[in-house]
Amino acid sequence: MEQNATTRDGDAAFHEMYRPQFHFTAGTGLLNGPNGVVYLAGEYHLFYERNPFGNDWGNMTWGHAVSSDLMHWHALPDAIEPDHAGTVFTGSAVVDNENTAGLQSGDEPVLVAIYTAAGGSSPESDGQPFTQCLAYSNDRGRTWNKYGHNPVLPHIVGENRDPKVIWYAPGQIWLMALFLDGESFALFTSPNLKRWTRIQTLSLRGSECPDFFPISVEGEPNEERWVFMAANGRYLVGSFDGTQFVREDGPFTLDFGANYYAMQTYGNIPAADGRRIQIAWMAGGVYPEMPFDQQMSIPSVVTLHRLPEGLRLFRNPVAEIESLYISGQEWRDLSVAPGENPLSEIDGELFDLTIEVDCGKSAPSAFGFRIRGEEIRYSRVDQTISCLGRSAELNAIDGIVKIRVLVDRTSIELFANDGRLCMSFCFTPPASDRSLEFFAEGAPVHIHTLDFHTLRSAWSDGTADQ
Ligand code: FRU
């Protein structure tokens, strides 16, 4: 492997042609799912499945980065490395504030990672099964030790993996969601992160990387629900009393795009903040000749809303993205006829734009954007939005269709009607095409509002280094 400040083509590191500029990537090597996302002492930790030795999948290791604002990331050395028990698959991290596991050695609370040792995934672990193990850090994640009596949860079935652990305050107990096999998952509890008791087995179409968390209904702080989610974003809404999750509704789909997978929500967020922050692997992008492979999604806030059809999750980018805005432009009550393009003068490649179209006051058959050749099309006739081969139903609310679009060098993320419908995509546009277009078809479109922001690179202002 080469390690240089510039690539062979002379691009500065982190400014290469297909390097996302406000989405997380590993400096080098492949990444897949996020791991151990947790907040501690002013830092959002992002661990992630990483191959330190190449752009193909293998040698899975926990890569590590921290951020104070979820936008600018500072790379730290790899946190957890393979051993004779296996390479290091997905897991979670918790702050053991009460020192229940007895692993704290100094004054600071200990950070404990619960991960899958993927036995059999390397020559060193040949013949070993998949088990769940602990590693811990007494210096805010800078150095790590593996627990001396691993595994803490022996093999159960198949490739059981991806433990997601949270503190269940009402019962003063740890709670783990684990993928078992097929479409089967289980919940466990533990007083100390070391002894685990299975309390429930659940099934959900979709496998791997479960997340399980409480969330209150927006505007109804006393109406708490629990969400159980699989890697493909299919989720159940229900209740949990410390012993059993009871499904009330679902499964529903969190993201209708092609590239939103293995999401995790942050733990230990201060009560004064209270957001349920989620980050996902944008699985499946293509990054020709780059020193890295794959990227994370924009961190987003998940909220639960009571709709006429029931309780549903919404998702919107974290407000911290505004720290990257460099220039803005806004239009109010603009009519765009077929053939016109109000965005023709705009140059750039990183955008955050929000449009509200008044479908009551106008009657186009369709409208949308063409971003570097990729079309986002809203069919007013079919009430569907489509992009990169995927379509989803999107209805006007009081006559208005609202669409927010984030564009990075290799991704397009759509948040429609305030996050009620989300679609995340990777794309690999031709480098020379920086075109941007808003189009109307059939009849003029009445734009109620169009807010447009150009973003700076998160790697360009000196606060990020890798
Ligand atoms: C998807 C996944 C996880 C597994 C990891 C291995 O994120 O398949 O289930 O732990 O990748 O890299």
Side-chain angles (χ1 to χ4, degrees), residues 37-365:
V37 299
V38 69
Y39 180 85
L40 175 62
E43 292 178 325
Y44 294 94
H45 289 264
L46 173 60
F47 303 90
Y48 54 96
E49 288 289 290
R50 173 174 190 225
N51 181 359
F53 303 112
N55 283 354
D56 47 355
W57 184 88
N59 312 305
M60 297 326 283
T61 297
W62 276 29
H64 190 194
V66 288
S67 172
S68 60
D69 66 0
L70 295 161
M71 292 291 136
H72 301 88
W73 294 97
H74 172 75
L76 292 173
D78 289 341
I80 311 178
E81 294 182 332
D83 60 23
H84 67 276
T87 64
V88 190
F89 275 20
T90 295
S92 46
V94 295
V95 179
D96 188 2
N97 283 307
E98 309 294 329
N99 196 21
T100 63
L103 297 170
Q104 182 178 329
S105 57
D107 294 337
E108 291 186 283
V110 59
L111 201 50
V112 182
I114 308 93
Y115 65 92
T116 299
S121 60
S122 56
E124 299 73 31
S125 64
D126 206 20
Q128 303 285 330
F130 277 38
T131 58
Q132 318 313 320
C133 296
L134 301 184
Y136 59 97
S137 168
N138 275 296
D139 55 4
R140 289 169 295 111
R142 269 53 185 181
T143 58
W144 289 84
N145 291 304
K146 288 192 178 130
Y147 174 54
H149 301 285
N150 279 332
V152 291
L153 189 56
H155 180 251
I156 301 166
V157 61
E159 292 195 351
N160 54 189
R161 63 176 182 272
D162 309 336
K164 181 71 162 70
V165 176
I166 59 172
W167 177 244
Y168 180 65
Q172 294 289 293
I173 204 154
W174 298 104
L175 190 57
M176 177 198 290
L178 186 74
F179 168 59
L180 294 181
D181 203 20
E183 296 182 353
S184 177
F185 297 84
L187 295 178
F188 299 79
T189 54
S190 170
N192 57 8
L193 297 166
K194 296 171 175 171
R195 278 194 328 274
W196 292 95
T197 308
R198 192 194 304 205
I199 56 169
Q200 192 176 355
T201 306
L202 306 137
S203 72
L204 177 58
R205 192 150 56 77
S207 65
E208 314 183 315
C209 306
D211 200 356
F212 186 47
F213 55 84
I215 188 166
S216 295
V217 180
E218 281 296 292
E220 303 173 44
N222 296 326
E223 285 292 319
E224 186 183 77
R225 295 291 188 282
W226 284 71
V227 168
F228 192 94
M229 192 177 289
N232 60 4
R234 289 182 68 79
Y235 66 93
L236 305 171
V237 179
S239 60
F240 181 69
D241 63 359
T243 60
Q244 232 205 349
F245 171 71
V246 179
R247 185 188 78 90
E248 288 172 10
D249 216 347
F252 304 114
T253 301
L254 184 66
D255 191 290
F256 288 84
N259 308 96
Y260 196 78
Y261 196 73
M263 55 294 283
Q264 282 200 351
T265 55
Y266 269 85
N268 205 42
I269 295 290
D273 177 327
R275 291 179 295 175
R276 173 76 36 200
I277 300 169
Q278 186 180 68
I279 189 163
W281 166 30
M282 294 193 81
V286 178
Y287 308 83
E289 295 180 45
M290 291 292 106
F292 66 93
D293 194 20
Q294 305 294 292
Q295 71 178 74
M296 294 295 175
S297 70
I298 194 77
S300 62
V301 178
V302 176
T303 45
L304 184 65
H305 297 255
R306 192 182 296 282
L307 302 179
E309 60 268 35
L311 296 173
R312 298 289 186 280
L313 292 178
F314 287 25
R315 204 165 64 73
N316 287 287
V318 293
E320 285 88 337
I321 191 173
E322 291 166 21
S323 69
L324 299 177
Y325 289 175
I326 37 179
S327 63
Q329 222 175 316
E330 49 178 62
W331 290 264
R332 295 288 177 267
D333 292 316
L334 177 74
S335 181
V336 179
E340 289 177 355
N341 174 20
L343 304 179
S344 61
E345 298 297 303
I346 288 169
D347 183 49
E349 50 178 359
L350 315 177
F351 304 116
D352 180 356
L353 62 91
T354 303
I355 192 166
E356 292 183 343
V357 167
D358 195 331
C359 289
K361 283 194 191 157
S362 49
S365 52

